[in-house]
């Protein structure tokens, strides 16, 4: 029987951890199978990659990326199974889940023309999951059952803030993709033109931006960066309690976002390119986003 002196919230799993685990798994699925189009059967077994020879081309960047992509999954998987499983058992289960997820996604990549299933990627993904699980397992109870992190969560954020915090966390994780424009994800204009042409049966070519002036580029980047930051910051602030240090939370959000973006650029390109996102438009957008949020 549980100790009667133990608070009820100390004996329950963390909804935030479980939602984060599911959300990050979905993020890995999208990243591994993007653009989710062009499926075809090449007449090869989806499990043939397991016994394939060592890849001819393998770079250090690819190896580091495959490991680091699954480290967060190992972390959230261990936290998701707490308190039912702890310590070594949680590490083993998290690693098996990561290996199964990676193995299934590698098998599905057999049917995508722009993807190559690899047993090396599977091994590196499993190693990343194991690393993340080992890093967090000793601190799972302190993070979820007691300690300053749990206290801050309860003191600063509303009780039902888990889903919103997962979205904020996914936005931060998405910064690890070194995209051209700061906080810019996806594309709206070209699909919108294509949809309009389909609905109206009007032949229209998507706009071409070769006539953009330097001022247009700055304004475009500022709008994207400022709007992206303000939207996520306001979502996070909506989840906070009145006594939360909102100013520091917004500054921390910005620091984590630009830090992740700089790290991604340094790994994908070079250390000299870590701040390649810091264009005049991005800097202006940061100022606009901070002003809107604060």
């Amino acid at each position: 029987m549980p100790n009667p002196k133990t608070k009820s919230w100390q004996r329950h799993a963390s909804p935030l951890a479980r939602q984060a685990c599911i959300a990050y798994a979905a993020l890995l699925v999208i990243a591994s199978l993007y653009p989710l189009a062009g499926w075809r059967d090449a007449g090869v077994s989806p499990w043939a990659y397991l016994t394939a020879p060592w890849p001819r081309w393998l770079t250090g960047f690819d190896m580091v990326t495959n490991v680091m992509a699954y480290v967060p999954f190992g972390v959230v998987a261990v936290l998701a199974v707490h308190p039912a499983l702890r310590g070594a058992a949680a590490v083993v289960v998290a690693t098996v889940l990561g290996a199964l997820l990676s193995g299934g996604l590698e098998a599905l990549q057999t049917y995508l023309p722009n993807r190559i299933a690899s047993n090396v990627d599977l091994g590196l993904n499993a190693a990343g999951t194991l690393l993340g699980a080992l890093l967090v397992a000793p601190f799972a109870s302190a993070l979820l059952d007691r300690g300053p992190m749990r206290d801050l969560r309860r003191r600063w954020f509303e009780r039902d803030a888990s889903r919103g915090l997962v979205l904020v966390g996914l936005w931060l994780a998405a910064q690890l993709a070194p995209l051209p424009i700061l906080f810019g994800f996806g594309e709206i204009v070209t699909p919108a033109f294509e949809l309009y042409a389909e609905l109206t049966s009007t032949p229209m070519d998507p706009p071409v931006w070769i006539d953009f002036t330097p001022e247009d580029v700055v304004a475009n980047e500022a709008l994207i960066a400022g709007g992206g930051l303000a939207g996520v910051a306001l979502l996070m602030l909506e989840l906070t309690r009145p006594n939360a240090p909102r100013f520091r939370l917004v500054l921390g959000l910005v620091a984590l976002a630009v830090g992740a973006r700089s790290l991604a650029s340094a790994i994908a390109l070079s250390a000299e390119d870590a701040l390649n996102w810091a264009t005049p438009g991005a800097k202006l957008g940061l100022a606009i986003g901070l002003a809107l949020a604060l």
Side-chain angles (χ1 to χ4, degrees):
M1 296 181 61
N3 188 339
K5 295 183 179 180
T6 302
K7 296 180 180 180
S8 61
W9 54 264
Q10 290 180 322
R11 299 195 298 266
H12 292 84
S14 167
L16 176 60
R18 295 191 171 183
Q19 292 164 10
C21 186
I22 294 172
Y24 195 80
L27 186 66
L28 289 174
V29 170
I30 295 172
S32 300
L33 303 180
Y34 185 83
L36 301 172
W39 299 87
R40 62 26 176 170
D41 187 356
V44 178
S45 168
W47 309 108
Y49 76 94
L50 292 173
T51 56
W54 189 270
R56 178 178 255 177
W57 305 107
L58 191 63
T59 66
F61 171 72
D62 290 334
M63 297 179 68
V64 171
T65 301
N66 277 290
V67 171
M68 296 306 297
Y70 273 75
V71 168
F73 181 79
V75 171
V76 293
V78 166
L79 298 179
V81 300
H82 183 86
L85 296 174
R86 308 185 187 197
V91 171
V92 171
V93 169
T95 304
V96 170
L97 289 175
L100 290 175
L101 176 62
S102 174
L105 292 176
E106 292 293 328
L108 289 174
Q109 287 180 359
T110 305
Y111 300 102
L112 289 171
N114 60 339
R115 295 286 184 168
I116 299 176
S118 169
N119 48 18
V120 175
D121 289 353
L122 170 59
L124 294 172
N125 295 158
T129 306
L130 175 61
L131 177 59
L134 289 173
L135 288 174
V136 78
F139 311 104
S141 182
L143 289 171
L144 299 178
D145 296 338
R146 61 184 186 277
M149 291 296 293
R150 178 76 188 207
D151 292 340
L152 289 178
R153 163 68 177 87
R154 293 169 58 82
R155 191 164 66 247
W156 288 355
F157 293 96
E158 297 291 349
R159 185 173 183 180
D160 58 350
S162 297
R163 292 180 179 85
L165 290 175
V166 168
L167 289 177
V168 175
L170 287 175
W171 182 80
L172 287 172
Q175 307 307 323
L176 295 173
L179 299 172
I181 300 178
L182 183 66
F183 306 152
F185 306 103
E187 185 178 1
I188 295 177
V189 176
T190 298
F193 269 71
E194 293 174 346
L195 178 61
Y196 177 82
E198 180 180 349
L199 293 176
T200 62
S201 300
T202 304
M204 295 185 65
D205 293 326
V208 180
W209 306 118
I210 56 175
D211 294 330
F212 262 18
T213 66
E215 292 77 14
D216 293 332
V217 173
V218 171
N220 186 47
E221 292 183 345
L223 179 63
I224 293 173
L229 173 59
V232 176
L234 291 173
L235 168 62
M236 182 185 69
L237 293 175
E238 179 66 19
L239 306 173
T240 59
R241 296 182 185 274
N243 62 334
R246 296 180 174 182
F247 183 81
R248 284 183 289 162
L249 286 173
V250 171
L251 293 183
L253 178 70
V254 174
L256 288 173
V258 298
R261 181 64 171 75
S262 300
L263 177 63
S265 296
I267 294 176
L269 302 173
S270 65
E272 292 76 15
D273 294 311
L275 298 179
N276 66 347
W277 57 267
T279 62
K283 294 177 182 178
L284 178 60
L286 281 176
I288 293 173
L290 280 172
L292 291 173
L294 298 178

